[in-house]
Amino acid sequence: SGGKHSLDDFAHAFYGMDNGSYVTRTYTVDDVVGALNQVQPFDWAGFLKARLDYTGPNLPEHGIERGGWKLVYTDQPNAATKAMEGIRHSVDMAYSIGLRASSSGEIYDVQWNGPAFQAGLVPGLSIVAVNGKDFSPQGLKDAVTAAQGDHAPIALLVKNVDVYSTVDIDYHAGLRYPHLVRASGKDLLGAIVTARK
């Protein structure tokens, strides 16, 4: 719309019906497309299908980039990761070796086709040791960091009920955590998330 309309216009049209009513109203994708077309005519059905039904290796980062931001990875956890690790007493290695585990070593998430997945790890297993030392969240992070300058895999001793086995994770890219940082252009994402006055 060239700045003539905003997300607020859509929200008002879509959510503003029956103001004050507490009756649950269900909706379909066609209802969303219809409301978007009322605000700004466009091929919203095609737009949403391309983004919501897509499966593949590429993240849909163009919208973020057009909004004046970009996605980068560093070896430092972002604020959300730090908070969740503290609340859950866990370690989040989703973007490096591809798993999340409790502070006691129980794996509760494995990223599809990531290094941990390829090594055969699944949720429900428990990590007992890392490179021959008792498991700890910091020990796992240290092993991932140390593997950057080494060709040896990260060796995990894992327990499945009462069976122990050693699993080698061939990963050498270090700790990776996603961060959104400002890029060039107008800060459209900032405008979207700013509270209305």
Side-chain angles (χ1 to χ4, degrees):
S1 69
K4 295 176 189 171
H5 302 293
S6 72
L7 191 57
D8 279 344
D9 296 321
F10 166 77
H12 181 73
F14 191 71
Y15 299 111
M17 61 190 88
D18 299 334
N19 192 23
S21 172
Y22 291 95
V23 176
T24 301
R25 289 186 56 139
T26 59
Y27 59 90
T28 66
V29 172
D30 289 339
D31 296 326
V32 175
V33 168
L36 285 166
N37 275 319
Q38 286 176 3
V39 174
Q40 179 65 41
F42 183 70
D43 178 20
W44 292 109
F47 178 88
L48 293 173
K49 183 174 182 180
R51 284 153 180 81
L52 299 178
D53 295 345
Y54 169 79
T55 58
N58 300 316
L59 292 173
E61 298 173 12
H62 300 299
I64 293 171
E65 292 165 358
R66 290 181 188 138
W69 292 77
K70 65 181 177 180
L71 181 64
V72 299
Y73 293 89
T74 75
D75 62 356
Q76 296 300 311
N78 56 50
T81 298
K82 281 183 188 176
M84 288 309 295
E85 284 185 338
I87 292 167
R88 288 186 164 184
H89 305 290
S90 62
V91 58
D92 186 344
M93 309 297 290
Y95 296 94
S96 54
I97 60 174
L99 64 77
R100 292 182 178 97
S102 71
S103 60
S104 63
E106 183 176 348
I107 298 170
Y108 58 83
D109 187 34
V110 174
Q111 299 297 305
W112 178 262
N113 215 27
F117 176 91
Q118 291 175 354
L121 295 176
V122 295
L125 299 178
S126 292
I127 306 170
V128 178
V130 181
N131 290 339
K133 296 181 180 177
D134 285 344
F135 170 81
S136 71
Q138 189 59 51
L140 182 59
K141 290 180 182 182
D142 291 344
V144 169
T145 299
Q148 273 187 282
D150 197 350
H151 294 293
I154 301 164
L156 302 181
L157 177 64
V158 297
K159 181 180 178 184
N160 183 4
V161 188
D162 60 353
V163 177
Y164 291 81
S165 59
T166 299
V167 174
D168 290 335
I169 299 180
D170 191 22
Y171 175 80
H172 306 282
L175 297 173
R176 292 184 80 229
Y177 299 97
H179 297 265
L180 279 180
V181 296
R182 274 290 281 131
S184 59
K186 189 174 178 181
D187 181 8
L188 298 176
L189 288 183
I192 289 170
V193 299
T194 298
R196 294 184 71 191
K197 297 179 181 178

